[in-house]
Amino acid sequence: MTLNVDHLLRTAGKLLRKALKAYTGSPREVDRLVFNDVLRHAGKHGVLDAAWVERWLAYRANRNNTAHDYGAGFANETLALLPQYLRDVRQLAQTLQAVFDASA
C-alpha cells in the first residue's frame, strides 16, 4: 500500500469540514474556510485539541514545502513526522466517526 500524504490531508480536510457543519448554522461558511482555518475551527469546537491542531498545521506546512524543497534535509524532516502523522490519522478517523455517529 502506498502512503499518499497529500491525499490523506485532502480527505481529512473534507471530513473535518463535514464534521464542523454540525457546529455551525452556516454550512456555506464552513465550505469557504481554507484548510488551516478548518483546523483552527476544529480546535475551537473541540473536535481537535490545541496540540493536535498544531501538529496538523505542521503536517500541512510540510506538505506545502514539498513544492519548494526536495533535499535530504527536507526528506529527513518529513520522515521524522510520519510516525506521529500516522497515529494522528488513525485517531482522527476515530474522532470523526464519533462526531458523525453523534449527529446521526
Side-chain angles (χ1 to χ4, degrees), residues 20 37-50 53:
L20 287 175
D37 288 337
V38 168
L39 293 171
R40 290 182 187 100
H41 280 268
K44 175 181 168 186
H45 294 292
V47 177
L48 304 176
D49 68 29
V53 170

Side-chain angles (χ1 to χ4, degrees), residues 5 13 19 27 32 37 43 45 48 59 70 73 79-80 83 86-87 100 103:
V5 174
R32 288 191 293 265
D37 288 337
H45 294 292
L48 304 176
Y59 302 146
Y70 293 101
L79 289 172
L86 293 173
R87 286 190 292 273
F100 296 144
S103 67

Side-chain angles (χ1 to χ4, degrees), residues 9-98:
L9 280 168
R10 282 194 312 266
T11 301
K14 288 177 185 178
L15 291 172
L16 281 168
R17 283 179 200 282
K18 184 173 181 166
L20 287 175
K21 289 177 183 179
Y23 296 93
T24 181
S26 177
R28 287 187 178 145
E29 187 175 313
V30 173
D31 288 336
R32 288 191 293 265
L33 295 173
V34 296
F35 188 86
N36 287 355
D37 288 337
V38 168
L39 293 171
R40 290 182 187 100
H41 280 268
K44 175 181 168 186
H45 294 292
V47 177
L48 304 176
D49 68 29
W52 212 1
V53 170
E54 289 306 313
R55 285 195 308 273
W56 278 93
L57 289 169
Y59 302 146
R60 178 64 174 204
N62 180 271
R63 176 246 177 225
N64 288 343
N65 288 337
T66 62
H68 308 292
D69 188 350
Y70 293 101
F74 174 76
N76 288 329
E77 178 185 322
T78 301
L79 289 172
L81 288 174
L82 285 177
Q84 183 63 48
Y85 175 71
L86 293 173
R87 286 190 292 273
D88 283 342
V89 167
R90 288 182 187 106
Q91 183 60 44
L92 181 62
Q94 293 173 356
T95 300
L96 290 174
Q97 187 64 58

